[in-house]
């Protein structure tokens, strides 16, 4: 019970930490909104030429744009999460102190990152969506249950996002600099999450592979959940897809964390 309260306080601390950056939040809202309008009018032109592209009508496609803009900071698809700080602690050797603390390293950073994600969902996710809904005809549910399912999907996506970035950060134990791996992960998240274009639009094998990769759990799946693409039992399948990737990646992170701990102990000895 005490452990649960501890990580709850860590998550709350992560929320408060990002809430202090009011100017940066306002700038982020402005940037997401402007970029959302650029994408929305681009999608409008594309769907006028190709109606029904990817199984979406125009309203669905425009809704996808604003969902993706609302989730960019939540999922840290363009950076801004904990990974740079953790990589720096590994590089300087300060991570040794963290490993000897009586708390779980992975759960500590997960709690802090979920606090960050929760703030960005409220601070940078709502206003761009409202702006899009005012200007465009969006496909938004009128009942609360689809929104609740969407929030569950966002939570699972945030855990997958953390697990991916945690692996990137841990790679710094074996590399002189984690920037290269971070850059590869950054580009993969942009291309395979649905940030720029719905993965349903990708043709053939490329589309199937893209939708099967963990990055699709960040934006594509939550967007489809809100759009009602997964009716009935298929919604459970979408949750299982996200939860499966989250579990697999977290377990891999624990294995790398254990190997890194042994490395630190050996070098310290």
């Amino acid at each position: 019970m005490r452990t649960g309260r501890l990580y709850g306080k860590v998550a709350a601390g992560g929320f408060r930490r990002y809430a202090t950056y009011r100017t940066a939040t306002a700038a982020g809202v402005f940037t997401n909104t402007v970029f959302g309008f650029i994408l929305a009018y681009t999608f409008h032109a594309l769907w006028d030429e190709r109606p029904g592209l990817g199984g979406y009508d125009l309203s669905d496609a425009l809704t996808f744009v604003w969902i993706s803009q609302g989730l960019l900071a939540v999922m840290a698809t363009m950076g801004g999460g904990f990974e740079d700080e953790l990589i720096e602690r590994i590089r300087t050797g300060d991570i040794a102190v963290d490993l000897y603390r009586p708390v779980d390293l992975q759960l500590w950073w997960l709690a802090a990152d979920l606090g960050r994600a929760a703030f960005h969902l409220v601070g940078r996710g709502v206003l761009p969506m409202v702006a899009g809904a005012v200007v465009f005809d969006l496909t938004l549910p009128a009942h609360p249950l689809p929104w609740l399912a969407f929030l569950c999907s966002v939570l699972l996506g945030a855990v997958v996002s953390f697990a991916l970035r945690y692996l990137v950060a841990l790679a710094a134990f074996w590399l002189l600099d984690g920037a290269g791996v971070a850059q590869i992960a950054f580009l993969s998240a942009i291309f395979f999450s649905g940030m720029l274009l719905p993965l349903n639009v990708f043709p053939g094998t490329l589309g199937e592979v893209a939708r099967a990769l963990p990055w699709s759990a960040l934006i594509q799946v939550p967007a489809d959940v809100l759009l009602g693409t997964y009716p009935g039992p298929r919604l459970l399948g979408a949750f299982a897809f996200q939860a499966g990737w989250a579990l697999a990646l977290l377990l891999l992170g624990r294995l790398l964390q254990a190997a890194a701990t042994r490395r630190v102990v050996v070098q310290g000895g």
Side-chain angles (χ1 to χ4, degrees):
M1 185 66 68
R2 291 180 179 178
T3 302
R5 286 200 297 267
L6 170 64
Y7 294 122
K9 290 181 179 179
V10 173
F15 187 99
R16 289 194 300 269
R17 175 184 178 183
Y18 284 87
T20 60
Y21 303 129
R22 297 177 183 176
T23 302
T25 300
V29 169
F30 176 78
T31 302
N32 288 144
T33 303
V34 170
F35 193 52
F37 277 111
I38 294 172
L39 275 180
Y41 283 113
T42 302
F43 275 38
H44 204 301
L46 178 59
W47 259 261
D48 281 345
E49 293 295 323
R50 296 284 303 276
L53 182 63
Y56 300 123
D57 60 22
L58 177 59
S59 180
D60 291 340
L62 294 175
T63 305
F64 191 100
V65 168
W66 293 103
I67 294 173
S68 68
Q69 290 306 301
L71 294 181
L72 283 184
V74 176
M75 302 301 175
T77 53
M78 301 184 69
F82 71 95
E83 56 274 17
D84 290 339
E85 181 180 352
L86 181 53
I87 288 173
E88 181 63 16
R89 292 189 67 81
I90 294 172
R91 188 188 67 81
T92 60
D94 292 339
I95 192 66
V97 177
D98 300 336
L99 291 172
Y100 281 108
R101 286 174 179 166
V103 293
D104 185 86
L105 183 71
Q106 187 185 56
L107 290 179
W108 177 281
W109 287 102
L110 173 59
D113 197 59
L114 289 179
R116 174 206 61 79
F119 170 75
H120 283 312
L121 182 62
V122 176
R124 289 183 59 174
V126 174
L127 289 180
M129 177 69 77
V130 171
V134 169
V135 177
F136 300 100
D137 180 21
L138 303 185
T139 305
L140 297 175
H143 300 287
L145 285 181
W147 288 102
L148 180 60
F150 171 68
L151 291 177
C152 291
S153 184
V154 169
L155 174 60
L156 290 170
V159 176
V160 174
S161 173
F162 164 81
L164 286 166
R165 290 177 287 120
Y166 191 67
L167 291 174
V168 169
L170 291 183
F173 275 107
W174 291 272
L175 302 173
L176 294 178
D177 187 357
V181 177
Q183 188 67 21
I184 294 173
F186 165 75
L187 294 174
S188 298
I190 290 177
F191 189 77
F192 291 115
S193 67
M195 170 186 159
L196 296 178
L197 196 66
L199 301 182
N200 293 349
V201 174
F202 290 11
T205 303
L206 175 61
E208 294 177 2
V209 171
R211 289 188 292 272
L213 292 174
W215 291 281
S216 67
L218 276 56
I219 293 177
Q220 180 70 47
V221 175
D224 279 340
V225 167
L226 189 61
L227 288 169
T229 306
Y230 301 109
R234 292 189 61 195
L235 179 61
L236 296 179
F239 289 159
F241 172 80
Q242 291 179 291
W245 270 119
L247 180 61
L249 293 169
L250 288 173
L251 289 176
L252 181 57
R254 298 199 75 82
L255 291 175
L256 288 183
Q257 177 181 313
T261 301
R262 290 193 296 270
R263 182 184 180 90
V264 171
V265 170
V266 170
Q267 289 180 347

